[in-house]
Amino acid sequence: MRSPVLHAALALALAGAACRGEAAPAAPASAPGKPPPAAAAPAAAGSPPPAAPRRPPDVVTLARPGGREWFGLYLVGRKAGYTWMEVGLERRGGQSVLVARAETSLTATLGGRTVTRLQRDEKVYQARPRGRLLAFSTRRAGDGGDRSFTGTCGERTCEVVVASAGSRETRSIPHPGETAEQADGARLAAALRGPVRGAQLQADQLRVRQVEDVWVGRRRLGGAGVEVEVSVVTEREQGDRAAIEVLVADDGRVAEMRLGGSVVARAEPEEVARRLDRVDLFNLTRVPLPGPLPRTVPGAVTYRLRGLPEGFRKGDERQRFGPAAGGDAVLTVSARLPAAADPARDAPRAAGAAPGDEHLAPTPEVDSDAPAIRALAAEVAGDARGAWAAARRLNQHVHRRLEKTFGQSRDRASEVLAGGKGDCTEHALLLVALARAAGVPARLVHGLVYARYGDGADALYWHAWAEVRSGGEWIAMDPTLGQDVADATHLALGRGTQVDTVGLLGELRVLAADPAPAAP
């Protein structure tokens, strides 16, 4: 089961086996262009018969520690939480099943308030290779609200009970096609010295993702005066720009999981893993600037960035990338009035959720189908015919309606509406839900924005906002700041469900930031 560490870490940053066996690695394939090794010569008469070849390990017979594996969770070098995981065989309902469990806890200071998030996950599979996912549960607690998803799966569908804030509903979803190999993909890839690929259900979003674990080689890992060799496995979801790196010892223990140098889960005894530092995410993750930046629209800012991997340098109409010496990147962000500013060019609102358009569809978090969300969207958007015209009304309403506060987050738009307060994440979430309910395609965005807080330091801080679509044009809007066109100090680094942005924490540097006029 893929660790939920990164999902919990991102939510905070933007607001945050009983079976043991001997598992020998599979024999490596022949090198390309070389003939396969010659067959062994027949045994001499009277000699003992050759030993039967050892079967490669599978997810059931895989060598792994018994019980929970504990890890300290470090953000930019400071311990902000812990995680544990365990995979093993159990008896349930008279049959043997493979069970994977994990728990992650994160604690940090946001705006002077200490917040904690806890997430627990469990998945149950048929106890055999390619065994089908039978059941799952996930629960979030603490900051962000309490919410749980509990599912039972047949061959074709899963029945899911979603419980949150006193409400309870049942949903039916297609079986995700997840098999037992996804219970321990990184460890299995290390044992096989090959890839493990498959579909995996992200239960807290009822979303299926394609995950790939690939053995990439060996490395010597040192600590406390001891060096051991470990296998290196990279894990990524299809579409990820950066991979999680998992280090697996030969006895099956996971020694470390990391995303870049910023998010590290390091194997530790339980009592050590639970011992935390005091982590102030604002100051820990901000990116200092050489000076102040203007918020004018139209306007543009050209940044010289260090520590931004190639995979993140995907430009669009608002952000244009160029190369610089030494592997740095030059990024120009332009904030202009959209074509939709002309009412004649503002695309009409959709009458309903268009089939296949994910940007109009509700999700467990963006619950645009909630009655209170739909009623408010209809009231505020009113008779606005154009998509951006309606989005502007909704944007300003969210800006005025929500009290600006840190560390009071909610993970569901309807809960944000009921609570009436939050930080940038809640503002963006509510705007996206209201926009979709009003027939305006919308998506969440996260990245960096310019701010200056009490210490007077000019810096980019982690932030969330929204984009709405009018015709073929995506328009950045910031409900927290009340901007119908987000200014050029907004650097978009991820959209929707992308979480690999967390790996940039503490790595990104701004060497220069030069404002310039932009054409209207």
Side-chain angles (χ1 to χ4, degrees):
M1 178 167 58
R2 194 183 197 200
S3 170
V5 168
L6 295 184
H7 298 282
L10 178 60
L12 275 176
L14 298 180
C19 175
R20 294 179 67 95
E22 291 299 319
S30 301
K34 293 187 178 181
S47 62
R54 298 183 69 181
R55 292 176 53 190
D58 59 47
V59 71
V60 178
T61 63
L62 190 63
R64 54 174 68 93
R68 295 177 177 178
E69 295 176 83
W70 285 84
F71 303 85
L73 179 57
Y74 295 82
L75 296 181
V76 199
R78 304 293 300 278
K79 191 189 290 185
Y82 66 83
T83 187
W84 60 257
M85 60 185 184
E86 63 177 335
V87 183
L89 294 173
E90 296 182 10
R91 297 288 296 180
R92 293 193 181 182
Q95 66 174 329
S96 180
V97 293
L98 185 70
V99 182
R101 296 187 185 88
E103 178 179 290
T104 299
S105 176
L106 284 164
T107 301
T109 300
L110 292 170
R113 182 174 180 269
T114 299
V115 297
T116 297
R117 285 196 170 204
L118 179 72
Q119 182 166 326
R120 294 190 180 100
D121 298 271
E122 179 181 278
K123 288 186 175 179
V124 182
Y125 307 83
Q126 294 171 320
R128 58 178 174 79
R130 304 297 300 169
R132 175 168 52 84
L133 177 67
L134 299 174
F136 62 88
S137 66
T138 187
R139 182 196 168 200
R140 289 184 180 181
D143 176 62
D146 291 0
R147 187 149 51 113
S148 66
F149 296 75
T150 305
T152 303
C153 298
E155 291 188 4
R156 296 183 179 177
T157 61
C158 299
E159 299 302 313
V160 187
V161 176
V162 182
S164 175
S167 67
R168 183 182 177 90
E169 59 179 304
T170 301
R171 302 187 185 190
S172 182
I173 63 172
H175 194 288
E178 181 171 345
T179 65
E181 284 68 22
Q182 291 300 308
D184 219 355
R187 198 162 5 224
L188 182 57
L192 295 172
R193 298 200 173 189
V196 175
R197 303 182 179 95
Q200 190 177 103
L201 177 69
Q202 184 180 341
D204 61 345
Q205 295 188 17
L206 299 182
R207 180 177 76 91
V208 179
R209 55 196 181 195
Q210 299 298 320
V211 178
E212 177 182 70
D213 291 271
V214 179
W215 181 83
V216 296
R218 302 278 285 173
R219 179 185 302 171
R220 295 197 69 81
L221 182 67
V226 177
E227 273 196 338
V228 295
E229 277 210 345
V230 296
S231 284
V232 182
V233 175
T234 59
E235 179 178 281
R236 70 174 73 228
E237 178 185 352
Q238 188 176 46
D240 279 355
R241 298 156 296 179
I244 303 169
E245 187 178 79
V246 185
L247 306 183
V248 184
D250 291 343
D251 62 0
R253 292 176 298 112
V254 174
E256 192 171 276
M257 298 175 283
R258 66 168 55 231
L259 181 61
S262 307
V263 182
V264 180
R266 186 172 297 126
E268 296 175 344
E270 178 181 354
E271 63 274 15
V272 178
R274 288 180 175 273
R275 200 178 302 144
L276 307 183
D277 296 330
R278 181 175 175 83
V279 178
D280 184 336
L281 278 180
F282 279 161
N283 292 326
L284 189 65
T285 63
R286 69 182 179 184
V287 182
L289 287 169
L293 294 178
R295 293 195 176 278
T296 53
V297 177
V301 180
T302 297
Y303 304 87
R304 180 163 174 161
L305 305 174
R306 179 163 294 170
L308 186 69
E310 286 287 345
F312 288 82
R313 304 180 192 184
K314 305 297 183 184
D316 52 34
E317 289 303 310
R318 179 180 163 88
Q319 298 192 160
R320 299 295 179 91
F321 284 94
D328 296 340
V330 173
L331 168 62
T332 298
V333 181
S334 300
R336 300 183 177 92
L337 293 177
D342 178 356
R345 301 176 67 184
D346 193 3
R349 291 194 276 157
D357 191 343
E358 62 177 311
H359 301 114
L360 281 169
T363 71
E365 293 183 343
V366 184
D367 54 344
S368 51
D369 54 348
I373 295 288
R374 296 178 63 180
L376 181 60
E379 175 189 340
V380 175
D383 59 358
R385 301 183 52 141
W388 191 53
R392 291 180 67 189
R393 295 185 184 184
L394 296 170
N395 187 56
Q396 292 303 317
H397 181 84
V398 171
H399 176 68
R400 293 191 302 268
R401 185 184 190 102
L402 294 187
E403 178 187 346
K404 310 298 184 282
T405 183
F406 296 111
Q408 297 282 347
S409 68
R410 288 293 179 266
D411 288 336
R412 206 172 190 186
S414 57
E415 295 173 3
V416 174
L417 179 59
K421 58 186 175 182
D423 56 30
C424 60
T425 310
E426 285 67 55
H427 283 71
L429 182 62
L430 182 56
L431 174 58
V432 169
L434 289 170
R436 291 185 186 182
V440 180
R443 63 190 181 190
L444 291 162
V445 186
H446 57 267
L448 296 164
V449 72
Y450 168 63
R452 178 189 286 174
Y453 291 112
D455 60 2
D458 294 300
L460 296 176
Y461 289 82
W462 294 88
H463 191 57
W465 60 98
E467 289 176 341
V468 301
R469 192 178 71 216
S470 174
E473 182 180 28
W474 283 102
I475 306 163
M477 309 182 79
D478 190 331
T480 310
L481 302 179
Q483 294 182 333
D484 293 336
V485 176
D487 64 53
T489 73
H490 291 70
L491 283 66
L493 297 172
R495 293 179 172 86
T497 59
Q498 289 177 316
V499 297
D500 51 1
T501 312
V502 176
L504 300 176
L505 295 176
E507 301 290 311
L508 196 60
R509 299 287 182 270
V510 176
L511 305 182
D514 300 315

PDB file of all heavy atoms in Angstrom, residues 92-116:
ATOM      1  N   ARG A  92      -9.846 -14.166   8.307  1.00  0.00           N
ATOM      2  CA  ARG A  92     -11.085 -13.408   8.421  1.00  0.00           C
ATOM      3  C   ARG A  92     -12.190 -14.183   7.719  1.00  0.00           C
ATOM      4  O   ARG A  92     -12.041 -14.558   6.561  1.00  0.00           O
ATOM      5  CB  ARG A  92     -10.960 -12.017   7.798  1.00  0.00           C
ATOM      6  CG  ARG A  92     -10.009 -11.097   8.537  1.00  0.00           C
ATOM      7  CD  ARG A  92     -10.161  -9.665   8.091  1.00  0.00           C
ATOM      8  NE  ARG A  92      -9.232  -8.793   8.776  1.00  0.00           N
ATOM      9  CZ  ARG A  92      -9.174  -7.472   8.598  1.00  0.00           C
ATOM     10  NH1 ARG A  92     -10.002  -6.874   7.751  1.00  0.00           N
ATOM     11  NH2 ARG A  92      -8.289  -6.737   9.259  1.00  0.00           N
ATOM     12  N   GLY A  93     -13.280 -14.384   8.428  1.00  0.00           N
ATOM     13  CA  GLY A  93     -14.398 -15.098   7.836  1.00  0.00           C
ATOM     14  C   GLY A  93     -14.042 -16.500   7.392  1.00  0.00           C
ATOM     15  O   GLY A  93     -14.593 -16.997   6.398  1.00  0.00           O
ATOM     16  N   GLY A  94     -13.105 -17.124   8.082  1.00  0.00           N
ATOM     17  CA  GLY A  94     -12.737 -18.483   7.744  1.00  0.00           C
ATOM     18  C   GLY A  94     -11.778 -18.619   6.585  1.00  0.00           C
ATOM     19  O   GLY A  94     -11.462 -19.735   6.170  1.00  0.00           O
ATOM     20  N   GLN A  95     -11.278 -17.499   6.046  1.00  0.00           N
ATOM     21  CA  GLN A  95     -10.330 -17.576   4.949  1.00  0.00           C
ATOM     22  C   GLN A  95      -9.097 -16.748   5.247  1.00  0.00           C
ATOM     23  O   GLN A  95      -9.128 -15.814   6.048  1.00  0.00           O
ATOM     24  CB  GLN A  95     -10.967 -17.110   3.630  1.00  0.00           C
ATOM     25  CG  GLN A  95     -11.343 -15.634   3.612  1.00  0.00           C
ATOM     26  CD  GLN A  95     -11.842 -15.181   2.252  1.00  0.00           C
ATOM     27  OE1 GLN A  95     -11.427 -15.706   1.216  1.00  0.00           O
ATOM     28  NE2 GLN A  95     -12.742 -14.198   2.243  1.00  0.00           N
ATOM     29  N   SER A  96      -8.000 -17.119   4.591  1.00  0.00           N
ATOM     30  CA  SER A  96      -6.754 -16.379   4.746  1.00  0.00           C
ATOM     31  C   SER A  96      -6.771 -15.168   3.820  1.00  0.00           C
ATOM     32  O   SER A  96      -7.110 -15.278   2.631  1.00  0.00           O
ATOM     33  CB  SER A  96      -5.567 -17.284   4.400  1.00  0.00           C
ATOM     34  OG  SER A  96      -4.353 -16.579   4.544  1.00  0.00           O
ATOM     35  N   VAL A  97      -6.423 -14.006   4.368  1.00  0.00           N
ATOM     36  CA  VAL A  97      -6.385 -12.773   3.585  1.00  0.00           C
ATOM     37  C   VAL A  97      -5.065 -12.061   3.855  1.00  0.00           C
ATOM     38  O   VAL A  97      -4.426 -12.268   4.893  1.00  0.00           O
ATOM     39  CB  VAL A  97      -7.569 -11.838   3.917  1.00  0.00           C
ATOM     40  CG1 VAL A  97      -8.881 -12.432   3.476  1.00  0.00           C
ATOM     41  CG2 VAL A  97      -7.592 -11.494   5.406  1.00  0.00           C
ATOM     42  N   LEU A  98      -4.664 -11.228   2.914  1.00  0.00           N
ATOM     43  CA  LEU A  98      -3.486 -10.375   3.070  1.00  0.00           C
ATOM     44  C   LEU A  98      -3.963  -8.986   3.458  1.00  0.00           C
ATOM     45  O   LEU A  98      -4.807  -8.404   2.762  1.00  0.00           O
ATOM     46  CB  LEU A  98      -2.682 -10.329   1.773  1.00  0.00           C
ATOM     47  CG  LEU A  98      -1.352  -9.575   1.833  1.00  0.00           C
ATOM     48  CD1 LEU A  98      -0.348 -10.346   2.687  1.00  0.00           C
ATOM     49  CD2 LEU A  98      -0.781  -9.352   0.431  1.00  0.00           C
ATOM     50  N   VAL A  99      -3.445  -8.470   4.562  1.00  0.00           N
ATOM     51  CA  VAL A  99      -3.910  -7.190   5.095  1.00  0.00           C
ATOM     52  C   VAL A  99      -2.744  -6.202   5.131  1.00  0.00           C
ATOM     53  O   VAL A  99      -1.658  -6.527   5.616  1.00  0.00           O
ATOM     54  CB  VAL A  99      -4.491  -7.354   6.515  1.00  0.00           C
ATOM     55  CG1 VAL A  99      -5.006  -6.013   7.039  1.00  0.00           C
ATOM     56  CG2 VAL A  99      -5.610  -8.388   6.507  1.00  0.00           C
ATOM     57  N   ALA A 100      -2.978  -5.006   4.619  1.00  0.00           N
ATOM     58  CA  ALA A 100      -1.982  -3.932   4.652  1.00  0.00           C
ATOM     59  C   ALA A 100      -2.556  -2.769   5.448  1.00  0.00           C
ATOM     60  O   ALA A 100      -3.684  -2.327   5.185  1.00  0.00           O
ATOM     61  CB  ALA A 100      -1.633  -3.477   3.241  1.00  0.00           C
ATOM     62  N   ARG A 101      -1.783  -2.290   6.424  1.00  0.00           N
ATOM     63  CA  ARG A 101      -2.227  -1.163   7.247  1.00  0.00           C
ATOM     64  C   ARG A 101      -1.141  -0.093   7.287  1.00  0.00           C
ATOM     65  O   ARG A 101       0.049  -0.412   7.188  1.00  0.00           O
ATOM     66  CB  ARG A 101      -2.506  -1.593   8.683  1.00  0.00           C
ATOM     67  CG  ARG A 101      -3.629  -2.578   8.859  1.00  0.00           C
ATOM     68  CD  ARG A 101      -3.919  -2.780  10.355  1.00  0.00           C
ATOM     69  NE  ARG A 101      -4.913  -3.807  10.580  1.00  0.00           N
ATOM     70  CZ  ARG A 101      -4.626  -5.101  10.701  1.00  0.00           C
ATOM     71  NH1 ARG A 101      -3.343  -5.507  10.647  1.00  0.00           N
ATOM     72  NH2 ARG A 101      -5.582  -5.984  10.895  1.00  0.00           N
ATOM     73  N   ALA A 102      -1.562   1.148   7.474  1.00  0.00           N
ATOM     74  CA  ALA A 102      -0.613   2.250   7.651  1.00  0.00           C
ATOM     75  C   ALA A 102      -1.279   3.345   8.468  1.00  0.00           C
ATOM     76  O   ALA A 102      -2.501   3.493   8.449  1.00  0.00           O
ATOM     77  CB  ALA A 102      -0.150   2.805   6.308  1.00  0.00           C
ATOM     78  N   GLU A 103      -0.464   4.102   9.187  1.00  0.00           N
ATOM     79  CA  GLU A 103      -0.945   5.271   9.925  1.00  0.00           C
ATOM     80  C   GLU A 103       0.088   6.372   9.802  1.00  0.00           C
ATOM     81  O   GLU A 103       1.293   6.119   9.895  1.00  0.00           O
ATOM     82  CB  GLU A 103      -1.163   4.928  11.396  1.00  0.00           C
ATOM     83  CG  GLU A 103      -1.618   6.130  12.237  1.00  0.00           C
ATOM     84  CD  GLU A 103      -1.854   5.757  13.693  1.00  0.00           C
ATOM     85  OE1 GLU A 103      -2.841   5.041  13.950  1.00  0.00           O
ATOM     86  OE2 GLU A 103      -1.045   6.165  14.554  1.00  0.00           O
ATOM     87  N   THR A 104      -0.368   7.585   9.577  1.00  0.00           N
ATOM     88  CA  THR A 104       0.521   8.741   9.494  1.00  0.00           C
ATOM     89  C   THR A 104      -0.016   9.863  10.368  1.00  0.00           C
ATOM     90  O   THR A 104      -1.216  10.157  10.340  1.00  0.00           O
ATOM     91  CB  THR A 104       0.640   9.241   8.043  1.00  0.00           C
ATOM     92  OG1 THR A 104       1.184   8.214   7.231  1.00  0.00           O
ATOM     93  CG2 THR A 104       1.555  10.465   7.966  1.00  0.00           C
ATOM     94  N   SER A 105       0.855  10.466  11.161  1.00  0.00           N
ATOM     95  CA  SER A 105       0.485  11.612  11.983  1.00  0.00           C
ATOM     96  C   SER A 105       1.458  12.746  11.703  1.00  0.00           C
ATOM     97  O   SER A 105       2.667  12.532  11.663  1.00  0.00           O
ATOM     98  CB  SER A 105       0.532  11.248  13.472  1.00  0.00           C
ATOM     99  OG  SER A 105       0.271  12.385  14.278  1.00  0.00           O
ATOM    100  N   LEU A 106       0.936  13.948  11.493  1.00  0.00           N
ATOM    101  CA  LEU A 106       1.742  15.135  11.245  1.00  0.00           C
ATOM    102  C   LEU A 106       1.316  16.238  12.199  1.00  0.00           C
ATOM    103  O   LEU A 106       0.123  16.471  12.390  1.00  0.00           O
ATOM    104  CB  LEU A 106       1.567  15.624   9.808  1.00  0.00           C
ATOM    105  CG  LEU A 106       2.279  14.838   8.711  1.00  0.00           C
ATOM    106  CD1 LEU A 106       1.702  15.181   7.365  1.00  0.00           C
ATOM    107  CD2 LEU A 106       3.762  15.149   8.739  1.00  0.00           C
ATOM    108  N   THR A 107       2.289  16.929  12.777  1.00  0.00           N
ATOM    109  CA  THR A 107       2.011  18.043  13.677  1.00  0.00           C
ATOM    110  C   THR A 107       2.897  19.218  13.293  1.00  0.00           C
ATOM    111  O   THR A 107       4.102  19.051  13.100  1.00  0.00           O
ATOM    112  CB  THR A 107       2.284  17.655  15.142  1.00  0.00           C
ATOM    113  OG1 THR A 107       1.462  16.542  15.498  1.00  0.00           O
ATOM    114  CG2 THR A 107       1.999  18.823  16.083  1.00  0.00           C
ATOM    115  N   ALA A 108       2.308  20.394  13.156  1.00  0.00           N
ATOM    116  CA  ALA A 108       3.087  21.574  12.792  1.00  0.00           C
ATOM    117  C   ALA A 108       2.373  22.821  13.282  1.00  0.00           C
ATOM    118  O   ALA A 108       1.192  22.785  13.640  1.00  0.00           O
ATOM    119  CB  ALA A 108       3.299  21.644  11.290  1.00  0.00           C
ATOM    120  N   THR A 109       3.112  23.920  13.284  1.00  0.00           N
ATOM    121  CA  THR A 109       2.553  25.210  13.665  1.00  0.00           C
ATOM    122  C   THR A 109       2.200  25.984  12.415  1.00  0.00           C
ATOM    123  O   THR A 109       3.021  26.130  11.502  1.00  0.00           O
ATOM    124  CB  THR A 109       3.561  26.017  14.504  1.00  0.00           C
ATOM    125  OG1 THR A 109       3.863  25.269  15.688  1.00  0.00           O
ATOM    126  CG2 THR A 109       2.994  27.370  14.895  1.00  0.00           C
ATOM    127  N   LEU A 110       0.970  26.479  12.369  1.00  0.00           N
ATOM    128  CA  LEU A 110       0.500  27.302  11.259  1.00  0.00           C
ATOM    129  C   LEU A 110      -0.106  28.569  11.837  1.00  0.00           C
ATOM    130  O   LEU A 110      -1.109  28.503  12.556  1.00  0.00           O
ATOM    131  CB  LEU A 110      -0.549  26.555  10.426  1.00  0.00           C
ATOM    132  CG  LEU A 110      -0.060  25.342   9.635  1.00  0.00           C
ATOM    133  CD1 LEU A 110      -1.242  24.572   9.057  1.00  0.00           C
ATOM    134  CD2 LEU A 110       0.847  25.808   8.503  1.00  0.00           C
ATOM    135  N   GLY A 111       0.507  29.699  11.536  1.00  0.00           N
ATOM    136  CA  GLY A 111      -0.033  30.959  12.031  1.00  0.00           C
ATOM    137  C   GLY A 111      -0.124  31.019  13.545  1.00  0.00           C
ATOM    138  O   GLY A 111      -1.060  31.595  14.098  1.00  0.00           O
ATOM    139  N   GLY A 112       0.842  30.410  14.249  1.00  0.00           N
ATOM    140  CA  GLY A 112       0.853  30.442  15.696  1.00  0.00           C
ATOM    141  C   GLY A 112      -0.008  29.383  16.361  1.00  0.00           C
ATOM    142  O   GLY A 112      -0.040  29.284  17.585  1.00  0.00           O
ATOM    143  N   ARG A 113      -0.702  28.560  15.580  1.00  0.00           N
ATOM    144  CA  ARG A 113      -1.554  27.518  16.136  1.00  0.00           C
ATOM    145  C   ARG A 113      -0.999  26.152  15.764  1.00  0.00           C
ATOM    146  O   ARG A 113      -0.645  25.908  14.613  1.00  0.00           O
ATOM    147  CB  ARG A 113      -2.985  27.660  15.595  1.00  0.00           C
ATOM    148  CG  ARG A 113      -3.968  26.647  16.147  1.00  0.00           C
ATOM    149  CD  ARG A 113      -5.379  26.972  15.649  1.00  0.00           C
ATOM    150  NE  ARG A 113      -6.343  26.014  16.178  1.00  0.00           N
ATOM    151  CZ  ARG A 113      -6.694  24.892  15.570  1.00  0.00           C
ATOM    152  NH1 ARG A 113      -6.144  24.593  14.408  1.00  0.00           N
ATOM    153  NH2 ARG A 113      -7.590  24.077  16.100  1.00  0.00           N
ATOM    154  N   THR A 114      -0.906  25.253  16.726  1.00  0.00           N
ATOM    155  CA  THR A 114      -0.420  23.908  16.464  1.00  0.00           C
ATOM    156  C   THR A 114      -1.565  23.037  15.987  1.00  0.00           C
ATOM    157  O   THR A 114      -2.627  22.968  16.630  1.00  0.00           O
ATOM    158  CB  THR A 114       0.204  23.297  17.729  1.00  0.00           C
ATOM    159  OG1 THR A 114       1.319  24.102  18.132  1.00  0.00           O
ATOM    160  CG2 THR A 114       0.709  21.882  17.460  1.00  0.00           C
ATOM    161  N   VAL A 115      -1.360  22.394  14.851  1.00  0.00           N
ATOM    162  CA  VAL A 115      -2.396  21.541  14.272  1.00  0.00           C
ATOM    163  C   VAL A 115      -1.823  20.144  14.054  1.00  0.00           C
ATOM    164  O   VAL A 115      -0.620  19.971  13.846  1.00  0.00           O
ATOM    165  CB  VAL A 115      -2.913  22.113  12.937  1.00  0.00           C
ATOM    166  CG1 VAL A 115      -3.566  23.455  13.143  1.00  0.00           C
ATOM    167  CG2 VAL A 115      -1.788  22.220  11.916  1.00  0.00           C
ATOM    168  N   THR A 116      -2.684  19.155  14.102  1.00  0.00           N
ATOM    169  CA  THR A 116      -2.292  17.757  13.910  1.00  0.00           C
ATOM    170  C   THR A 116      -3.266  17.094  12.962  1.00  0.00           C
ATOM    171  O   THR A 116      -4.485  17.339  13.029  1.00  0.00           O
ATOM    172  CB  THR A 116      -2.286  16.998  15.250  1.00  0.00           C
ATOM    173  OG1 THR A 116      -1.300  17.570  16.111  1.00  0.00           O
ATOM    174  CG2 THR A 116      -1.945  15.524  15.040  1.00  0.00           C
TER     175      THR A 116
END
